[in-house]
Amino acid sequence: MTVRRDFQESGRCRSDLLIGRDEALISAREQLSRGGSLLLHGTAGIGKSTVLRTLAAEYGESARTVLRCSATESESHLPFLALADLLGLALDEVSGQLPVAQRVALESALTGRGESTLQRDGLALRLAVLSALRALAAKGPVLVVADDLQWLDTASTELLGFAARRLGDDPVRMLFAGRTDGQEYDRYLRASTPDTLAVRVNPLTRSQVEMLLEHRGYDLPRSTVREIHRTSAGNPLYALELGRALAENPTPPRPGEPLPVPTSLRALVLSRLEMLSDDARRTLLVVSAGARPTLALLHEAGRENAEAETAQAAALGLLATEPEGPAVRFAHPLVSAALYAEASAQERRAAHAALSTAASDPIERARHLALATEGTDPGVAARLAEAAALARDRGAPTVASSLGLLAARYTPADSVPNPDEHRLRAAEDAITAGELDLARDIARQVLDRSGVPEQRVRAWIIVIDTAGHAMTEVDAVFPQALADAGDDPQLLALIHYQLAWRALLVEGNFAECREEAARAAELAAWAGDRHTELMSLSFQAQTETLMGHPDAPATIKRALKEPQDPQVTVHHNGIGSARFRWLIMSDQLPEARATITTLLREVRRRGSVESEVHFLRCLAETELRCGHCGRALDLARESLRLARDTGIGEVASGMLAALAEASGGDVDRALALARESVEHAEENGDLMYLSRAQAALGYARLVAGDAPGAVQSLRRARELEHDLGVDDPARGRWQGDLAEALVGVGELDEAQEVIDVSRAHALRLGRESVLAVLDRSEALVRAARGERDAALAQLTSAKDRLAKLGYGLEEARAALALAELRTGPPGPGPTPAPTSYDEAARLFRRSRALPWLRRVDAATVPNPAPQPLVQQPQAVAALDGLAAMERQVAALVMEGATNREIAGRLFISVKTVEATLTRVYRKLGIRSRVDIVRLAAGRHPK
């Protein structure tokens, strides 16, 4: 086999290089697995070469011969150079099989020892390349790999294309990559086979850029990552260069300023800028400084020849040639950043000064006025503070935070309010926007410089807030905050509110949490701080609701009294959220949905990210209770994406997503999410959500058919809730699942004990849906004890009650239990009549409860006759027929790895694992993971 040295290093040695390439890799691997050819295309630096190397390493293993070339711009004028790279090492192997005329022409072209040209030896050369490839393919599969097709010399392109169009069924695959900067890729296809699939390599998302930077060791705030993603437009090369420059620069950019662009990236665009006139460059600088520049705005800013100057820039590829709407857009954000970075400070100030009078929006005018001003200026600071308030009202907290920091920069130290007041308000806006790293950094700056007790306590509260559920990390903050608060009731109220959260998350003590929240409400009322009083009462009400405390309704009424604070009403820990929790635990599902939908709409308008994550999760929970599993799954996934992007509420959103996946999606994904949530909750010391995560894991295991695993997780959830002091079974709703799992492992007495204890609490609190689910579970206990008629009656009653309450999924589960009881236990013998399961199937389809519907389908499949053993060599041959990636995935399945575990070990996505398994099933004629194990063991798949 002929292998260039480049291929002897695995393409998987750099896992970070495959981040965000799942979609491209899935399509590419499917095409190459079918024996087809592939063209990867995209912009410069987008990662085409990385994907190319990875695929070449994977599929090069199954090829006898790998031929490679990688052209460069400086050598693109040299004829036959790419062909020499491809066939140079293989020439000795095939030359003896070529006719003399072809051999002479090819040797002359590849070695340069003759005067061979396309004009002179065109036909002989074309036939020689075709013959050479066929000769190599006759000995085994050939993989031709060519990178940077845009620099391939014309002669080599022509010869490759001629051969490719005539190879037919010869086992030659072509794997190419070429740059398409807004250009069509069709011109590259002429060098490849007719069946070539073109796959575009797309930009990375913000979260993928963050993963890439983290993997390279660049520890940057999320707000900075957001700017890197915006400036790089998702290009991984640009993002890494920007990240490196920021990591090496001890002085971060000041508020309102773009990211510093390293010299390596400036060189990509500055050569074209040099072709502009001075006036055109000044016009482009105004475009770069503006937020939404238009030709009309440029005229207002004094750029009289804006049309001609922007047209000149567009002709050079600096501006978009087909702008959407009236805005003037750069072809790439990096062009704007490089232009701004290259300008002098005086030129920048001049551009901002022009825009400070030309812009129509007051927020923009204030920002440009500030950036055009040197030194401190109370008037400018006041304008910025007003603009920040306006941005806040518009639901743009990120903008408000940036303006607040600018206000601090322009405020003299002895002014009232002083710079730290602006900084703290900016930090609070950053929390609203989900920029927790930025908020924490600002708070630390205030603590380093301020001696004012009120400011210090507010800064400590910001530090605590940004820790989220990982409050163990900031445990040492509380004594310092109490010392700064002294005897001030207003400041003490703020701290005791946070101590209530600490009691819940760190100590796992609901009773202490309730006491601290009540203390905070009392102190706030004494100080006349209605905002903190309402937040504390709302938290007290939620805690009492989860505890099943009898005072919960009275506390909710106190929290709903006037005067109200609109911010508290829609806050994720405010009275609206407390009322929602009461409604959903009291089985008032329509009211709960209406309440949470209104709250979600309002926080989206306000731009409150943490509240949006929370309320998306709450709405998903509501839809899950109602049996709308598809809708719940969509909402849960959206909440989890947003949580991961911002680092807010990841455990809670992961837990809810696990429940939704187990009910309406993929059980393997549900198990992975639940395990991840358990691990993170344990790492954070978050006992409240650890119990919820264990309950989610137990449910996922139950759906997966793992009754012993479900018992283990759900017992742990029970222990945690007991230690927390939670008595209300409507909080986690795991009791029926635990009883059902216990029946599955034969622990009938324990199952009945769980039912009896939970029923007593449910009766005291009036939890009708919980009582119905417990009746369903008790019917399973009775059936296991041989009390069939009593079990049927109890199941029928439970199903009807759940239907009236609107719990669609629980109703369907009761229908399934009825069908299983009526048809008897599965096993040898008569197959259950499909009609016995019709009602359960109908209800699960209505709920889009796909995992449960698959369980119904499995129950109604006729039991096949025993299959004879197949010989082990046949099984081995079947597995050996798989592609390299498919064999790796199948081998890990045999080890018992989940899809997520396989993805982690192979540095691919879960979607890629799923797609690969689908191909494995199709090739082997099987239907499940279990069949892979059976086949490997030498048994015929069932």
Side-chain angles (χ1 to χ4, degrees):
M1 179 172 72
T2 304
V3 181
R4 300 282 295 189
R5 186 172 303 166
D6 307 59
F7 288 107
Q8 295 176 8
E9 180 181 3
S10 170
R12 297 197 180 281
C13 61
R14 291 283 296 282
S15 62
D16 63 304
L17 299 178
L18 296 179
I19 289 171
R21 298 300 169 221
D22 303 338
E23 186 176 350
L25 285 169
I26 289 173
S27 301
R29 285 168 175 149
E30 288 179 351
Q31 173 73 355
L32 292 170
S33 296
R34 291 192 295 265
S37 294
L38 184 74
L39 167 65
L40 300 165
H41 66 97
T43 59
I46 203 67
K48 305 178 298 298
S49 299
T50 297
V51 178
L52 183 85
R53 285 194 298 270
T54 299
L55 293 170
E58 289 178 9
Y59 292 91
E61 296 175 3
S62 58
R64 177 187 177 273
T65 306
V66 179
L67 309 174
R68 180 185 186 277
C69 73
S70 183
T72 63
E73 183 177 10
S74 62
E75 300 170 339
S76 60
H77 66 287
L78 299 174
F80 308 121
L81 185 61
L83 194 66
D85 284 342
L86 285 171
L87 294 176
L89 296 179
L91 185 59
D92 291 342
E93 184 178 352
V94 300
S95 61
Q97 303 172 52
L98 303 181
V100 174
Q102 294 180 22
R103 183 174 69 248
V104 170
L106 186 60
E107 288 178 348
S108 177
L110 298 187
T111 63
R113 289 197 295 267
E115 296 181 357
S116 183
T117 65
L118 275 180
Q119 289 75 22
R120 173 182 166 182
D121 302 314
L123 180 60
L125 275 174
R126 288 174 171 84
L127 293 174
V129 173
L130 176 62
S131 299
L133 290 174
R134 282 178 171 166
L136 291 170
K139 300 177 181 179
V142 176
L143 180 64
V144 180
V145 184
D147 199 1
D148 286 319
L149 282 188
Q150 70 275 9
W151 308 131
L152 220 65
D153 64 271
T154 304
S156 296
T157 301
E158 174 63 28
L159 294 172
L160 271 178
F162 177 88
R165 292 189 293 273
R166 291 163 175 79
L167 284 169
D169 294 332
D170 291 298
V172 178
R173 287 179 296 183
M174 294 185 169
L175 176 55
F176 293 165
R179 183 185 302 176
T180 50
D181 292 316
Q183 306 166 16
E184 295 297 327
Y185 57 81
D186 295 355
R187 60 193 178 97
Y188 296 142
L189 294 178
R190 67 173 183 261
S192 189
T193 57
D195 67 341
T196 298
L197 174 69
V199 174
R200 181 172 180 81
V201 181
N202 291 313
L204 302 181
T205 65
R206 175 181 165 184
S207 59
Q208 290 164 351
V209 166
E210 183 175 15
M211 291 170 61
L212 181 64
L213 293 169
E214 285 180 352
H215 190 83
R216 289 295 184 91
Y218 301 147
D219 185 14
L220 300 168
R222 288 180 186 270
S223 56
T224 303
V225 172
R226 182 191 65 225
E227 285 302 306
I228 289 176
H229 178 255
R230 185 192 64 79
T231 303
S232 68
N235 185 298
L237 172 64
Y238 299 169
L240 286 171
E241 285 296 298
L242 289 166
R244 179 184 58 78
L246 284 165
E248 294 175 354
N249 186 359
T251 305
R254 295 189 298 179
E257 292 185 349
L259 297 179
V261 179
T263 305
S264 58
L265 294 185
R266 290 191 204 182
L268 295 175
V269 295
L270 292 182
S271 58
R272 284 179 286 174
L273 287 173
E274 292 174 355
M275 302 172 68
L276 292 172
S277 65
D278 291 342
D279 284 342
R281 286 191 65 164
R282 281 191 284 270
T283 295
L284 286 196
L285 181 58
V286 175
V287 175
S288 175
R292 293 174 298 277
T294 62
L295 288 173
L297 178 66
L298 292 175
H299 281 298
E300 288 291 328
R303 309 313 302 166
E304 297 177 356
N305 298 317
E307 287 87 352
E309 289 160 355
T310 54
Q312 182 188 3
L316 292 172
L318 297 168
L319 292 179
T321 54
E322 297 179 3
E324 299 175 2
V328 179
R329 294 187 302 109
F330 281 98
H332 193 284
L334 186 64
V335 179
S336 174
L339 175 66
Y340 194 91
E342 189 70 10
S344 67
Q346 184 178 355
E347 289 172 328
R348 295 180 195 175
R349 285 195 298 272
H352 287 295
L355 288 168
S356 69
T357 57
S360 59
D361 185 81
I363 292 176
E364 279 301 295
R365 286 200 301 271
R367 185 177 75 87
H368 289 303
L369 177 61
L371 295 175
T373 303
E374 291 186 85
T376 60
D377 188 317
V380 171
R383 289 272 299 275
L384 287 165
E386 292 169 2
L390 181 58
R392 202 174 297 122
D393 290 341
R394 289 181 180 178
T398 299
V399 176
S401 178
S402 176
L403 291 168
L405 290 175
L406 277 173
R409 173 180 162 188
Y410 287 95
T411 300
D414 57 353
S415 293
V416 178
N418 67 20
D420 285 333
E421 285 292 329
H422 292 302
R423 291 189 182 95
L424 288 169
R425 193 67 185 92
E428 290 160 356
D429 286 327
I431 290 178
T432 301
E435 304 289 356
L436 302 187
D437 292 341
L438 175 61
R440 187 185 304 111
D441 290 344
I442 296 170
R444 293 292 185 188
Q445 291 174 22
V446 173
L447 288 167
D448 288 342
R449 72 180 79 202
S450 177
V452 180
E454 181 184 358
Q455 292 179 350
R456 292 187 61 79
V457 170
R458 282 177 64 188
W460 287 126
I461 297 301
I462 290 168
V463 171
I464 295 168
D465 274 342
T466 55
H469 283 207
M471 293 192 80
T472 51
E473 297 177 2
V474 293
D475 221 20
V477 164
F478 288 98
Q480 300 176 68
L482 286 168
D484 283 330
D487 297 328
D488 188 321
Q490 184 174 10
L491 300 181
L492 287 171
L494 293 171
I495 299 169
H496 280 279
Y497 175 76
Q498 297 293 342
L499 284 169
W501 279 103
R502 181 188 178 280
L504 184 61
L505 299 176
V506 178
E507 301 296 335
N509 190 325
F510 269 74
E512 184 181 344
C513 170
R514 174 178 176 270
E515 291 175 6
E516 288 287 0
R519 175 64 174 155
E522 180 184 348
L523 286 164
W526 183 20
D529 182 356
R530 184 63 172 161
H531 177 90
T532 303
E533 181 187 7
L534 289 173
M535 287 295 294
S536 301
L537 285 172
S538 300
F539 189 24
Q540 181 184 345
Q542 288 209 56
T543 304
E544 289 173 349
T545 299
L546 295 172
M547 293 173 68
H549 196 284
D551 290 350
T555 306
I556 290 176
K557 287 181 180 179
R558 287 176 61 200
L560 287 170
K561 285 182 179 179
E562 296 294 340
Q564 285 292 311
D565 183 329
Q567 290 185 345
V568 176
T569 302
V570 300
H571 194 276
H572 53 279
N573 290 321
I575 188 57
S577 184
R579 183 171 180 272
F580 161 78
R581 185 55 53 193
W582 172 262
L583 289 169
I584 198 169
M585 291 178 67
S586 302
D587 299 323
Q588 300 178 58
L589 298 182
E591 293 88 345
R593 182 193 286 113
T595 297
I596 206 65
T597 301
T598 301
L599 290 169
L600 180 58
R601 186 184 306 118
E602 180 60 20
V603 298
R604 279 176 164 165
R605 186 190 70 80
R606 291 169 178 258
S608 179
V609 174
E610 184 170 5
S611 294
E612 183 178 356
V613 171
H614 180 83
F615 291 145
L616 277 170
R617 193 164 63 240
C618 292
L619 185 55
E621 180 184 356
T622 307
E623 298 296 353
L624 203 55
R625 297 274 173 262
C626 295
H628 304 155
C629 298
R631 171 69 173 151
L633 185 58
D634 291 341
L635 289 163
R637 286 174 175 173
E638 184 180 356
S639 175
L640 183 58
R641 281 195 299 270
L642 188 55
R644 285 177 169 170
D645 280 347
T646 59
I648 296 173
E650 292 181 77
V651 173
S653 294
M655 173 274 301
L656 202 285
L659 291 172
E661 291 284 357
S663 298
D666 181 87
V667 179
D668 285 341
R669 190 179 293 118
L671 290 165
L673 284 169
R675 290 191 185 104
E676 183 180 290
S677 297
V678 168
E679 291 171 3
H680 288 173
E682 288 176 337
E683 290 171 3
N684 295 340
D686 182 352
L687 297 177
M688 181 176 72
Y689 271 108
L690 179 57
S691 65
R692 299 291 304 275
Q694 286 285 6
L697 179 56
Y699 174 69
R701 284 173 162 170
L702 181 66
V703 177
D706 179 12
V711 168
Q712 178 186 8
S713 297
L714 294 169
R715 277 174 175 164
R716 179 62 178 143
R718 186 186 190 192
E719 293 169 1
L720 287 165
E721 286 208 354
H722 178 270
D723 293 341
L724 287 166
V726 176
D727 291 330
D728 194 334
R731 187 242 179 185
R733 296 180 181 268
W734 46 262
Q735 297 81 5
D737 293 335
L738 175 55
E740 183 175 334
L742 287 166
V743 171
V745 298
E747 297 287 349
L748 303 185
D749 290 341
E750 185 181 348
Q752 188 63 54
E753 186 265 340
V754 169
I755 293 167
D756 291 342
V757 171
S758 302
R759 180 179 283 139
H761 292 302
L763 283 169
R764 175 175 62 84
L765 297 165
R767 305 305 193 209
E768 292 298 326
S769 63
V770 174
L771 290 168
V773 168
L774 291 172
D775 279 355
R776 184 187 69 201
S777 302
E778 189 171 51
L780 299 179
V781 176
R782 288 181 169 179
R785 287 175 171 163
E787 303 171 21
R788 187 173 183 276
D789 292 341
L792 284 170
Q794 194 169 18
L795 273 175
T796 302
S797 172
K799 175 181 172 297
D800 292 343
R801 287 153 56 202
L802 288 166
K804 289 177 182 177
L805 290 167
Y807 284 77
L809 180 58
E810 300 295 355
E811 176 194 0
R813 289 179 62 181
L816 175 59
L818 274 169
E820 289 173 339
L821 183 55
R822 285 171 178 154
T823 56
T831 301
T835 54
S836 303
Y837 288 89
D838 282 350
E839 176 69 357
R842 180 185 69 82
L843 292 174
F844 283 132
R845 276 195 295 271
R846 183 185 69 183
S847 294
R848 272 190 61 192
L850 302 182
W852 288 102
L853 191 58
R854 284 191 282 269
R855 179 167 165 177
V856 173
D857 292 342
T860 56
V861 172
N863 290 333
Q867 297 290 336
L869 291 176
V870 297
Q871 296 299 313
Q872 181 69 12
Q874 290 177 290
V876 172
L879 292 174
D880 285 346
L882 301 176
M885 173 60 64
E886 294 164 352
R887 288 200 304 273
Q888 291 180 64
V889 171
L892 290 171
V893 168
M894 294 173 204
E895 295 177 12
T898 65
N899 285 4
R900 189 176 185 85
E901 290 166 345
I902 294 171
R905 290 173 65 175
L906 297 181
F907 304 117
I908 57 178
S909 72
V910 174
K911 287 185 179 179
T912 301
V913 176
E914 293 167 353
T916 304
L917 280 175
T918 299
R919 294 196 301 273
V920 170
Y921 298 158
R922 184 174 65 247
K923 289 183 177 181
L924 299 182
I926 60 179
R927 296 187 303 174
S928 70
R929 300 163 63 93
V930 175
D931 288 341
I932 293 178
V933 179
R934 290 190 179 115
L935 188 62
R939 294 185 177 276
H940 192 285
K942 295 183 179 180

